[in-house]
Amino acid sequence: MKLSRPVSWFLLAFGVWSWIIWITFVKNLVEDISGLAFDDGHPTAYFWVHLTLAIVSFVLGTVVGGIGLRSLRVLGPRQR
């Protein structure tokens, strides 16, 4: 199956966006001072659930972005 150029760019952009958003989220999660993520220096269930969500999102973002990148490579340079 061949994807269109706009769809391929969308998938690639989604993958990049996912990494930017979730890296920021994990950074904020690790630096949490509200007491939700850590209790006396030990990770809480909140921390583990959200870290799992972030890891799954990293994997999905990588897969989706990879599909978009692969599709763009197959399509080759745009012809005028």
Side-chain angles (χ1 to χ4, degrees), residues 25-79:
F25 181 82
V26 169
K27 180 183 169 215
N28 291 337
L29 182 65
V30 170
E31 296 173 357
D32 177 57
I33 58 170
S34 70
L36 285 174
F38 296 97
D39 186 22
D40 293 329
H42 299 288
T44 62
Y46 176 90
F47 174 84
W48 291 115
V49 167
H50 286 83
L51 183 63
T52 301
L53 288 172
I55 290 169
V56 169
S57 294
F58 284 137
V59 171
L60 291 176
T62 301
V63 170
V64 169
I67 291 169
L69 181 62
R70 222 170 118 187
S71 177
L72 286 170
R73 286 183 177 167
V74 168
L75 290 171
R78 180 177 275 185
Q79 302 295 325

